[in-house]
């Protein structure tokens, strides 16, 4: 006959062992201040963007093959530049993601000369601005030469309104640069003032919009080229 008391004790011991194992993993094997669920979630986000960049490269290569077959590839240097800049963007994104993930539990806000995690925040800001300029240059090349009408409001507005255009006195910045946010780094977190004020939704949100619009335009253009005489 099964001893109920002994069985209950065994179950409790197993539960305790599992609990201890999770605590050990969180303490020693995962980055500081990171839970197991957070670790899984961040991996899913990184995987998502890995697939996004790779998917674009595959479609862009397909486009170039079709264009060459139909004798439409008269912009070889610009087409190559698109590939090179997206590769650079992918490299930049990886490092930005690492820093943002590391600071996710203690968002670092750059405001003034003194702020926490100075070196990491400065590095992330430089890389984030560089990434936006890579994407902006690609957008303009594609829009003028390959994919008429392609636009991405998030990337465009960050570059035009937050990186290049001087602020108006009525705009109040809470942070010049914020890293360690669920939606990725944010350029100039601003209290909106006036009709034309623009707030950055975060790098990850802007990337998703950028590649969604880009893939839609590229798919349509590929379909048209394949069925054109």
């Amino acid at each position: 006959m099964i001893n109920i008391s002994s069985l209950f004790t065994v179950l409790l011991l197993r539960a305790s062992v599992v609990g201890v194992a999770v605590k050990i993993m969180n303490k020693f094997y995962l980055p500081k201040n990171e839970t197991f669920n957070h670790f899984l979630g961040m991996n899913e986000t990184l995987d998502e963007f890995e697939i996004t960049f790779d998917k674009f490269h595959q479609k862009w290569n397909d486009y170039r093959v079709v264009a060459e077959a139909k004798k439409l590839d008269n912009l070889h240097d610009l087409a190559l530049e698109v590939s090179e800049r997206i590769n650079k963007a992918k490299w930049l994104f990886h490092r930005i993601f690492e820093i943002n993930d590391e600071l996710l539990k203690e968002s670092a806000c750059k405001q003034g000369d003194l702020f926490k995690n100075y070196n990491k925040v400065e590095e992330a800001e430089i890389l984030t601005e560089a990434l936006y300029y890579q994407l902006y240059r690609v957008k303009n090349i594609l829009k003028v030469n390959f994919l008429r009408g392609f636009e991405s409001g998030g990337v465009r507005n960050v570059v035009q309104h937050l990186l290049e255009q001087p602020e108006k006195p009525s705009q109040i910045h809470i942070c010049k640069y914020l890293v360690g946010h669920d939606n990725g780094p944010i350029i100039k977190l601003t209290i909106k003032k006036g009709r034309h004020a623009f707030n950055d939704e975060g790098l990850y949100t802007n990337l998703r919009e950028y590649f969604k619009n880009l893939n839609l335009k590229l798919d349509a253009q590929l379909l048209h080229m394949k069925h054109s005489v």
Side-chain angles (χ1 to χ4, degrees), residues 152-171:
S152 176
V155 168
R156 179 199 63 214
N157 290 338
V158 165
V159 173
Q160 291 183 356
H161 295 289
L162 301 180
L163 295 180
E164 293 187 342
Q165 210 171 60
E167 289 74 29
K168 296 177 181 178
S170 60
Q171 290 178 311

Side-chain angles (χ1 to χ4, degrees), residues 7-208:
L7 179 60
F8 185 67
T9 301
V10 170
L11 291 174
L12 281 177
L13 283 171
R14 285 185 177 177
S16 298
V17 169
V18 172
V20 170
V22 170
K23 288 179 180 178
I24 290 173
M25 182 178 288
N26 284 335
K27 186 172 183 180
F28 297 105
Y29 295 100
L30 297 180
K32 188 178 180 182
N33 296 325
E34 196 168 42
T35 64
F36 186 60
N37 285 336
H38 164 69
F39 177 72
L40 291 177
M42 288 301 97
N43 270 343
E44 288 174 0
T45 302
L46 183 58
D47 288 344
E48 172 197 347
F49 285 109
E50 282 278 354
I51 292 169
T52 296
F53 280 105
D54 292 343
K55 183 179 178 182
F56 169 75
H57 270 300
Q58 183 58 55
K59 286 187 177 183
W60 187 240
N61 288 336
D62 291 345
Y63 173 89
R64 294 183 64 188
V65 168
V66 174
E68 186 176 351
K70 292 184 174 290
K71 310 300 182 185
L72 301 173
D73 191 16
N74 60 339
L75 298 167
H76 175 78
D77 289 345
L78 286 174
L80 185 60
E81 183 181 342
V82 168
S83 296
E84 290 173 347
R85 289 190 180 275
I86 291 296
N87 274 333
K88 291 175 184 176
K90 183 179 179 181
W91 183 89
L92 290 164
F93 174 79
H94 269 271
R95 181 55 186 148
I96 295 165
F97 183 90
E98 288 175 0
I99 299 173
N100 188 77
D101 188 35
E102 188 175 340
L103 299 178
L104 201 56
K105 295 298 180 182
E106 46 174 344
S107 295
C109 172
K110 180 178 180 179
Q111 188 68 302
D113 297 327
L114 299 174
F115 44 89
K116 292 193 304 180
N117 300 295
Y118 182 90
N119 289 336
K120 288 179 182 175
V121 175
E122 285 285 285
E123 180 187 359
E125 183 183 24
I126 291 168
L127 296 178
T128 302
E129 290 186 4
L131 174 56
Y132 273 115
Y133 276 114
Q134 296 296 331
L135 295 175
Y136 189 70
R137 168 67 177 170
V138 168
K139 178 188 77 70
N140 288 338
I141 290 173
L142 294 175
K143 186 175 181 179
V144 172
N145 298 287
F146 300 99
L147 304 175
R148 300 300 171 92
F150 166 54
E151 191 55 83
S152 176
V155 168
R156 179 199 63 214
N157 290 338
V158 165
V159 173
Q160 291 183 356
H161 295 289
L162 301 180
L163 295 180
E164 293 187 342
Q165 210 171 60
E167 289 74 29
K168 296 177 181 178
S170 60
Q171 290 178 311
I172 302 171
H173 293 315
I174 302 171
C175 276
K176 182 184 176 186
Y177 178 77
L178 178 69
V179 62
H181 191 276
D182 286 337
N183 287 336
I186 294 174
I187 304 285
K188 294 178 183 173
L189 189 60
T190 309
I191 298 176
K192 291 185 177 181
K193 294 286 183 180
R195 284 187 310 149
H196 304 296
F198 168 75
N199 260 356
D200 180 13
E201 297 294 331
L203 178 62
Y204 302 166
T205 299
N206 293 333
L207 276 176
R208 288 184 180 105

